Amino acid sequence: MTDAAALPGQPRGVVTSGPATARAVNVLAPNPSAMTLDGTNTWLVGEPDSELAVVVDPGPLDEGHLRAVVAAAEQAGKRIALTLLTHGHPDHAAGAGRFAELTGTKVRALDPAMRLGDEGLAAGKAVRVGGLELRVVPTPGHTADSLCFHLPADRAVLTGDTILGRGTTVVAHPDGRLGDYLDSLRRLRSLTVDDGVHTVLPGHGPVLDDAQGAVEFYLAHRAHRLAQVETAVENGFTTPEQVVAHVYADVDRSLWPAAEWSVRAQLEYLREHGLIPGAEPF
């Protein structure tokens, strides 16, 4: 068995519902899959001495899960005062409307289409509820509307799908763009260097206790994949499907459709930077 401390980001291991930091509690959604790993992590966040809490990513439209989140808050002696979304993918956000009905909360998101009765979320802004502070960190790339939330009191960051607790994330082309994603990873690295963030609370997978190690791994992985894709094109693999079959040959074929999104984003990035020929979008 591999020591978790030796893995990128130092994952804690088994993903379960329960406390992760002094202020963040995970309620694991029952939607495991190859894409969602153990399921969606719905985060209940609040100051220990406050009666109010914030929920980040209520998850899929699953009545049992949504009620379990409400029950977790009640068990902690808290009332859910606000719902936040890291991005609009259904495994994170499809339950937001029903959750708003159950809790009477407003839903804040970057994408206006995902908001319910409240304003959006912008860079440099902070969400404050019951003494809790969550700072908005724009991290486009996985999707155009992806956000992270910096929880300074716990030296933690809630990353949605921008950084996962296991494996790497997909750049969901064409909505997601690789250049944006690389910039977002560098922004998160700055949080680890300048703001002392050491814990990643991801949208899927285990909590990571080495945030800087996780970010560095992601950046190195992207650089490696870009080099592989560039070499594949030089060797005559020119379509996204051909590149996936060549570069991702050791990856489960069930993940190839998702890998193709990332490959299209990589090809677009390489073309825009003049590293491969072509003028048409992939």
Side-chain angles (χ1 to χ4, degrees):
M1 180 178 293
T2 302
D3 182 359
L7 296 173
Q10 296 181 13
R12 292 188 185 176
V14 178
V15 183
T16 59
S17 295
T21 68
R23 292 164 180 79
V25 174
N26 183 27
V27 184
L28 181 62
N31 62 332
S33 72
M35 291 295 290
T36 60
L37 305 181
D38 310 85
T40 301
N41 296 329
T42 292
W43 292 103
L44 178 69
V45 192
E47 286 295 320
D49 58 353
S50 174
E51 297 180 354
L52 302 178
V54 172
V55 164
V56 178
D57 289 349
L61 183 54
D62 180 294
E63 187 76 10
H65 172 64
L66 300 178
R67 290 187 178 275
V69 177
V70 175
E74 292 174 346
Q75 185 175 2
K78 297 183 183 298
R79 176 176 64 83
I80 298 168
L82 182 64
T83 301
L84 303 175
L85 299 178
T86 62
H87 64 297
H89 277 171
D91 55 315
H92 294 256
R98 174 59 179 152
F99 191 69
E101 293 176 355
L102 289 173
T103 60
T105 60
K106 297 177 180 180
V107 178
R108 297 184 67 181
L110 181 62
D111 183 354
M114 304 303 301
R115 302 172 196 164
L116 290 174
D118 210 338
E119 61 185 308
L121 296 165
K125 300 296 183 181
V127 176
R128 294 181 174 87
V129 172
L132 176 76
E133 181 185 46
L134 287 170
R135 298 176 185 171
V136 179
V137 184
T139 49
H142 169 66
T143 60
D145 69 331
S146 288
L147 296 171
C148 293
F149 297 101
H150 176 200
L151 176 54
D154 283 348
R155 297 172 64 191
V157 60
L158 294 93
T159 55
D161 281 355
T162 299
I163 293 180
L164 305 178
R166 185 170 65 251
T168 56
T169 199
V170 169
V171 178
H173 181 84
D175 182 46
R177 294 176 57 85
L178 182 57
D180 291 341
Y181 186 63
L182 294 174
D183 288 342
S184 293
L185 291 177
R186 296 182 188 109
R187 191 170 297 120
L188 291 175
R189 182 171 57 187
S190 294
L191 284 182
T192 71
V193 174
D194 300 332
D195 296 276
V197 166
H198 61 65
T199 303
V200 173
L201 305 176
H204 304 282
V207 172
L208 302 176
D209 286 320
D210 178 15
Q212 185 172 353
V215 175
E216 296 292 357
F217 169 75
Y218 266 59
L219 285 166
H221 170 79
R222 285 297 167 192
H224 178 63
R225 282 296 193 212
L226 268 175
Q228 287 181 307
V229 171
E230 184 177 1
T231 299
V233 173
E234 290 172 351
N235 290 333
F237 301 95
T238 56
T239 69
E241 296 81 4
Q242 290 171 340
V243 173
V244 168
H246 180 69
V247 173
Y248 292 79
D250 60 341
V251 174
D252 189 319
R253 281 177 173 262
S254 68
L255 297 175
W256 280 15
E260 186 178 322
W261 294 342
S262 285
V263 164
R264 288 179 181 274
Q266 290 161 341
L267 291 170
E268 181 180 68
Y269 179 89
L270 290 169
R271 187 203 68 222
E272 289 176 345
H273 286 76
L275 298 172
I276 61 173
E280 296 301 318
F282 291 99

